[in-house]
């Protein structure tokens, strides 16, 4: 079972703005908060949430595949060309990157110069204004998913895992409950509110105590993406479980700060990311994906090995007096190793949905 309850006293929020102060004041005003409401404040408040100042990047709090290096973006560029050909080379050709963070993937995809570039309408979607301001030239930066994508792809890398979710649990003695966030004696604590009936979560016959997320926002996000794309694809990459309850002992609820696993999610809100494994069965109840594979398999299918071999050839040709480009090419082998690592990024799930006649 994943641990929710905080272990440290809430620090005196003082008079300055902080996520901690905002949450303490909101609990005092509204009473115990649904965990999704807590996440909205801790992560997404535009003034004091984690994403107002934190996020992905080598000098920030965690590294996603685009931050490993430019190789991931080069593979995505190859996938873009493959889909463009498959769709009949439409112009315009829309690529929507949902949850674009600071724009790292967009920079590397554009730098790779895919064949479809002249037709490409690259749309970055990011709620955080602070991160959206970092997006590169050559993209349309939006704060919400477009309502219509005629020919194109909606792509989300490590987004669904930290869209706000609720948490429910089961206790063999007392039954179902919802986890809420309350204040008690200077602590933010887990408050269990009994549920009159089991939550909507698919067939389950619990025999032991467990907690699990209800990822309604992730399901709604998938539905919006599928409804938006007339001809094309929806592609998500994330860490997942086949279904919940998760296997015994799996820590499905995690926080990250300073490139390390953080403390319990109720400790120092606003200073760490909060994520959960994505429930594939719940997503499939919206619409079953047409294809799933690991990230390692997806990268190999879209030519990561060819890109590494190309980089090695360029390095060897210039090894006596290497250019900056040759040095970057040399790094492709180490980037590949990280991206396909079966104990880490390589084990992520890639799920694809075909839309329309694509």
């Amino acid at each position: 079972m994943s641990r929710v309850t905080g272990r440290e006293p809430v620090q005196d929020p003082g008079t300055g703005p902080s996520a901690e102060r905002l949450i303490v004041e909101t609990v005092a005003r509204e009473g115990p908060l649904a965990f999704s409401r807590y996440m909205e404040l801790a992560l997404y408040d535009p003034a004091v949430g984690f994403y107002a100042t934190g996020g992905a990047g080598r000098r920030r709090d965690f590294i996603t595949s685009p931050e490993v290096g430019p190789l991931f973006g080069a593979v995505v560029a190859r996938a873009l060309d493959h889909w463009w050909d498959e769709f009949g080379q439409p112009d315009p050709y829309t690529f929507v990157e949902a949850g674009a963070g600071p724009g790292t993937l967009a920079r590397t995809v554009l730098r790779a110069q895919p064949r479809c570039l002249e037709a490409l309408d690259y749309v970055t979607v990011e709620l955080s204004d602070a991160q959206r301001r970092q997006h590169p030239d050559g993209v349309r930066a939006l704060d919400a998913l477009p309502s219509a994508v005629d020919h194109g792809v909606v792509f989300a890398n490590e987004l669904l895992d930290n869209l706000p979710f609720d948490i429910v649990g089961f206790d063999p003695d007392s039954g179902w409950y919802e986890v809420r966030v309350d204040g008690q004696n200077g602590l933010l604590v887990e408050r269990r509110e009994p549920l009159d009936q089991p939550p909507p979560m698919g067939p389950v016959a619990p025999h032991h105590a467990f907690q699990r997320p209800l990822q309604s926002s992730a399901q709604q996000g998938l539905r919006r993406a599928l409804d938006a794309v007339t001809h094309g694809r929806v592609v998500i990459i994330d860490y997942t479980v086949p279904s919940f309850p998760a296997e015994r002992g799996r820590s499905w609820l995690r926080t990250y700060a300073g490139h390390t696993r953080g403390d319990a999610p109720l400790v120092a809100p606003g200073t760490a990311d909060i994520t959960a494994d994505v429930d594939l069965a719940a997503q499939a109840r919206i619409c079953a994906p047409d294809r799933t594979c690991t990230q390692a398999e997806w990268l190999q299918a879209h030519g990561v090995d060819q890109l590494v071999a190309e980089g090695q050839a360029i390095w060897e040709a210039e090894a006596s007096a290497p250019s900056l480009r040759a040095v970057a090419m040399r790094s492709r082998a180490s980037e590949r190793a990280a991206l396909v690592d079966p104990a880490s990024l390589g084990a992520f799930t890639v799920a694809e949905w075909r839309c329309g006649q694509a």
Side-chain angles (χ1 to χ4, degrees), residues 33-290:
L33 305 179
F35 196 78
S36 57
R37 174 74 168 134
Y38 172 77
M39 286 185 67
E40 289 172 359
L41 299 173
L43 296 184
Y44 296 106
D45 182 84
V48 296
F50 173 74
Y51 282 107
T53 56
R58 290 185 181 276
R59 293 184 296 275
R60 304 182 83 171
D61 289 284
F62 55 87
I63 293 178
T64 62
S65 293
E67 278 81 32
V68 169
L71 179 61
F72 185 79
V75 176
V76 172
R78 288 177 64 108
L80 275 171
D81 283 337
H82 172 78
W83 294 323
W84 186 53
D85 292 339
E86 187 179 78
F87 303 159
Q89 298 188 348
D91 187 357
Y93 171 41
T94 305
F95 181 67
V96 180
E97 184 194 348
T104 305
L105 179 59
R107 277 186 288 275
T108 55
V109 168
L110 296 177
R111 193 181 307 148
Q113 296 189 312
R115 288 185 292 105
C116 63
L117 190 58
E118 288 190 8
L120 186 63
D121 177 21
Y122 198 125
V123 180
T124 53
V125 179
E126 174 54 50
L127 183 63
S128 167
D129 181 64
Q131 299 210 57
R132 201 166 56 250
R133 288 196 299 268
Q134 302 176 57
H135 293 183
D137 294 337
V139 306
R140 286 195 294 136
L142 305 178
D143 63 0
L145 195 74
S147 60
V149 176
D150 187 15
H151 287 83
V153 178
V154 174
F155 185 91
N157 179 63
E158 290 196 59
L159 170 64
L160 299 188
D161 61 90
N162 65 1
L163 293 180
F165 50 83
D166 292 312
I167 297 178
V168 296
F170 178 79
D171 184 284
D173 296 324
S174 56
W176 291 98
Y177 60 87
E178 178 187 0
V179 171
R180 289 184 167 258
V181 178
D182 200 1
Q184 179 180 344
N185 300 325
L187 293 171
L188 287 175
V189 298
E190 172 185 326
R191 177 78 61 195
R192 297 183 175 186
E193 298 285 347
L195 294 175
D196 294 332
Q197 57 186 6
M201 55 187 295
V204 63
H207 301 291
H208 59 81
F210 71 91
Q211 291 181 348
R212 59 149 297 167
L214 285 183
Q215 296 168 316
S216 299
S217 293
Q219 290 178 300
Q220 293 164 7
L222 175 61
R223 171 50 62 199
R224 284 194 296 271
L226 293 171
D227 287 345
V229 180
T230 304
H231 301 286
R233 270 186 172 78
V234 173
V235 181
I236 65 167
I237 303 179
D238 230 313
Y239 39 82
T240 68
V241 293
S243 63
F244 280 94
E247 61 201 61
R248 297 289 292 271
R250 183 180 181 91
S251 180
W252 56 262
L253 177 62
R254 298 179 287 274
T255 66
Y256 293 93
H259 296 292
T260 61
R261 288 282 291 270
D263 213 322
L266 302 192
V267 174
T271 66
D273 195 19
I274 304 172
T275 76
D277 289 321
V278 175
D279 183 348
L280 278 180
Q283 295 300 103
R285 287 196 290 274
I286 298 299
C287 183
D290 294 286

Side-chain angles (χ1 to χ4, degrees), residues 330-351:
R330 185 187 188 190
S331 73
R332 282 183 173 180
S334 59
E335 291 175 41
R336 179 197 178 281
L339 293 171
V340 304
D341 181 358
S344 184
L345 296 171
F348 282 16
T349 297
V350 182

